[in-house]
Amino acid sequence: MSKAFDIGIEALAAGPQPATLGAPETTPAEAAASESRASESLPIAPNGKSFYIETFGCQMNAHDSEKVAGVLLERGYRAVDTILQADLVLYNTCSIREKAAQKVFSRLGEIRFATPRKVIGVLGCLAQQEGEEIFERAPWVSLVCGSASYRKLPELMAQVEEGGRRVSGLDLDTDETFETEITRRDNPIRAYLTIIEGCDYACAYCVVPHTRGPERSRASEAVLAEARRLAEAGYTEIQLLGQTVNSYRDPSPRGLNFTQLLREVAAVDGIRRVRFTTSHPNDFHREIVQAIDDTPVLCDHIHLPVQSGSTPILRAMRRTYTREEYLEKISWIRAARRPFSITSDIIVGFPGETEKDFEESVTLLDEVGYDSIFSFKYSPRPNTTAATMPGAIPEAEQARRLAILQDRQRQIQIARNEKLVGGTFEVLVDGRHESRNQWSGRTTSNRPVNFTSPRQNLLGEYVQVRIARASANSVAGEQVL
Ligand code: 5AD
Ligand code: SF4
């Protein structure tokens, strides 16, 4: 089942020494706020064991780590701020592109010298992709567990605590979702809430169906109960998560579809903003636009990954839609009364992508007018159909195409952001930059805004900001009092 590592295990020993290990960077305000929230609601370890989770990759992974932390806290573990302080170190990994996988391997190399004092676990997509092979190649790892097996974590952790050395959870064939009693949320402003796990699409380049397993939706009542708990805990913004979030189908007798669920989450008392990501164009229907248009709580931002602007490449990628069909969906969004922000993911240099195909991706940027994109060089992944396709594009050519695409998108963003100058927008404040004497936050369209204000303690507040300046990635202004 599992394929060989992307890079040799020799590279594991080549990384920097443990002195470089530390907590990922957050703004001081974020760190302070998350500490205070964490200590308000979380138990102190009665068993004296401490843990640290380092997370790689997407928001789904970030939120999975919050739930895994909840499982550990329930078992009496205590969260610590650095790897050096931790008895148990978990890496929640990503394998979407080779670079992401390599980063994990270098971390495993670094931690090698800190064992046997520490117990090391590998979770997430790389764990699922490489499976027990990880024990062979990195014998200092005691636990390997893919996300589809997280519901078994309590029993796997019990084995690890009894001294188990090669404990694994690698079942993919499941119809269950990961439910936790406690979730230790790291972000005090925006709460992530998973509504659907796995993926039933089979995009030719993508490891996700192989690493996260088949699509399974959570019962609507469980989702709504969690949304109500979040509102009671003081959250006002929720982001619904799923690899294909809009494929949601309530498995309970209520049988809600995605739009119905969106409307019900938006109606939860105390919730002022609801976002969702990532949408698949195939399951993107007009009624989603209608729901957003007539429900101000539903944020006017849609992340709708296109991947390529060329229909032949979309077909080779098995994306299930053409350029024209995608653009038709964009036209529904543009016809809404509210101006929506639209963002996307694009891959350049997929096998067989001609110059003409690539240019269609560039012209699509203008046709849609994206507010931002994530763009990537195609990276061949184990177990995917594209990995053996002919017509590989050399890395230098991929890099050239990526630079052209990003440059064009930058111009589009500058022009779009400049149109906001002079306008006033509601911003949910999520950070403070002391050195610049600025606050930061997001509009409902998810646009980053930096602003000045004579007020104190704005974190988590909704404020009105008049925009005075624009750049490619953010806008800036001052609070309107
Ligand atoms: N190579 C490059 N980019 C990829 N993505 C997924 N798989 C690959 C791959 N093999 C990108 C897609 C997806 C985003 C999360 O990562 O654009 O939407
Ligand atoms: Fe990967 Fe495609 Fe599924 Fe998205 S829809 S997770 S790109 S297989």
Side-chain angles (χ1 to χ4, degrees):
M1 167 214 99
S2 105
K3 276 222 12 179
F5 277 73
D6 287 313
I7 59 162
I9 204 76
E10 325 73 75
L12 294 184
Q17 296 299 301
T20 61
L21 301 173
E25 276 183 31
T26 46
T27 63
E30 273 169 0
S34 91
E35 243 167 52
S36 66
R37 184 176 292 273
S39 53
E40 267 158 33
S41 53
L42 300 172
I44 301 296
N47 69 358
K49 286 191 206 147
S50 56
F51 74 95
Y52 181 88
I53 306 179
E54 182 169 359
T55 306
F56 302 82
C58 63
Q59 283 155 332
M60 291 287 286
N61 259 14
H63 183 45
D64 282 347
S65 290
E66 295 178 334
K67 290 168 137 188
V68 169
V71 170
L72 295 172
L73 290 162
E74 263 186 290
R75 297 188 70 74
Y77 284 76
R78 175 174 55 94
V80 288
D81 292 336
T82 66
I83 286 184
L84 292 173
Q85 297 166 275
D87 302 313
L88 169 68
V89 177
L90 297 177
Y91 295 100
N92 189 3
T93 63
C94 172
S95 66
I96 196 97
R97 284 169 293 278
E98 187 176 349
K99 254 204 198 136
Q102 277 172 351
K103 220 193 251 173
V104 176
F105 290 124
S106 85
R107 280 296 192 285
L108 283 178
E110 289 163 26
I111 200 74
R112 174 182 196 169
F113 303 103
T115 58
R117 285 170 294 116
K118 296 184 191 299
V119 173
I120 313 296
V122 182
L123 310 180
C125 289
L126 195 72
Q128 189 68 48
Q129 181 186 298
E130 303 298 340
E132 301 205 345
E133 196 61 25
I134 289 179
F135 298 132
E136 299 300 323
R137 311 244 185 162
W140 54 96
V141 171
S142 303
L143 170 71
V144 168
C145 183
S147 66
S149 302
Y150 286 163
R151 67 194 183 287
K152 287 197 200 139
L153 261 182
E155 64 190 81
L156 299 177
M157 282 312 303
Q159 290 173 40
V160 170
E161 285 156 16
E162 281 160 20
R165 295 283 303 132
R166 294 171 64 122
V167 178
S168 63
L170 295 165
D171 265 356
L172 262 190
D173 185 17
T174 180
D175 56 6
E176 291 183 59
T177 51
F178 182 29
E179 306 289 332
T180 51
E181 289 293 318
I182 301 179
T183 299
R184 189 205 60 169
R185 288 192 157 79
D186 296 321
N187 184 331
I189 310 291
R190 178 184 289 184
Y192 293 129
L193 199 174
T194 300
I195 64 166
I196 177 169
E197 295 177 22
C199 177
D200 275 354
Y201 285 94
C203 302
Y205 51 81
C206 186
V207 282
V208 168
H210 312 282
T211 59
R212 287 192 167 267
E215 174 189 301
R216 54 230 185 256
S217 293
R218 289 177 70 196
S220 56
E221 256 326 309
V223 171
L224 290 163
E226 192 170 343
R228 287 190 286 266
R229 281 199 302 276
L230 289 168
E232 278 158 25
Y235 280 101
T236 60
E237 177 170 316
I238 290 180
Q239 177 153 349
L240 304 177
L241 294 181
Q243 298 296 335
T244 57
V245 74
N246 56 330
S247 316
Y248 178 84
R249 198 18 104 177
D250 183 5
S252 79
R254 295 188 72 208
L256 301 190
N257 67 21
F258 177 63
T259 312
Q260 291 165 325
L261 183 76
L262 267 186
R263 289 185 184 275
E264 293 208 7
V265 175
V268 168
D269 255 0
I271 296 303
R272 291 180 61 171
R273 285 185 175 183
V274 177
R275 309 181 177 282
F276 55 89
T277 196
T278 290
S279 296
H280 193 296
N282 198 51
D283 296 315
F284 192 82
H285 306 299
R286 232 186 190 128
E287 58 177 35
I288 299 177
V289 180
Q290 273 155 11
I292 297 176
D293 212 10
D294 60 34
T295 316
V297 171
L298 296 176
C299 290
D300 42 26
H301 166 217
I302 291 170
H303 185 61
L304 199 63
V306 67
Q307 312 298 359
S308 168
S310 147
T311 296
I313 293 297
L314 288 169
R315 195 175 310 119
M317 286 177 163
R318 304 197 184 162
R319 281 298 285 180
T320 74
Y321 52 84
T322 62
R323 175 190 175 100
E324 289 67 34
E325 284 162 347
Y326 180 88
L327 282 171
E328 191 191 351
K329 299 191 181 211
I330 297 294
S331 74
W332 302 341
I333 302 172
R334 292 294 182 223
R337 283 163 300 176
R338 286 206 268 163
F340 287 34
S341 148
I342 306 176
T343 57
S344 198
D345 295 348
I346 297 187
I347 298 174
V348 300
F350 186 77
E353 185 187 71
T354 62
E355 189 62 32
K356 179 169 171 290
D357 293 321
F358 166 64
E359 270 162 21
E360 294 214 66
S361 290
V362 180
T363 59
L364 189 85
L365 300 181
D366 285 295
E367 250 180 86
V368 176
Y370 289 117
D371 289 280
S372 112
I373 59 165
F374 296 101
S375 48
F376 313 99
K377 292 182 272 185
Y378 166 71
S379 162
R381 308 306 300 134
N383 305 318
T384 60
T385 50
T388 51
M389 281 182 185
I393 308 296
E395 144 81 34
E397 176 59 14
Q398 288 187 322
R400 187 188 71 86
R401 292 182 188 182
L402 189 67
I404 292 171
L405 190 88
Q406 291 180 340
D407 190 52
R408 183 65 212 126
Q409 178 58 28
R410 207 183 132 73
Q411 302 308 322
I412 292 171
Q413 280 175 217
I414 291 172
R416 290 186 73 78
N417 285 348
E418 275 173 354
K419 287 203 184 126
L420 304 178
V421 171
T424 298
F425 297 89
E426 184 188 70
V427 171
L428 170 54
V429 185
D430 61 15
R432 168 90 189 143
H433 307 282
E434 262 337 312
S435 58
R436 284 189 266 146
N437 190 26
Q438 266 185 338
W439 297 92
S440 63
R442 302 250 169 185
T443 62
T444 164
S445 339
N446 212 32
R447 197 178 309 274
V449 180
N450 297 310
F451 67 97
T452 52
S453 167
R455 294 268 163 89
Q456 310 278 312
N457 304 327
L458 288 180
L459 274 187
E461 300 291 316
Y462 289 81
V463 300
Q464 297 292 323
V465 175
R466 189 178 306 110
I467 305 305
R469 292 179 307 284
S471 63
N473 294 317
S474 63
V475 291
E478 61 182 32
Q479 183 181 1
V480 179
L481 294 170

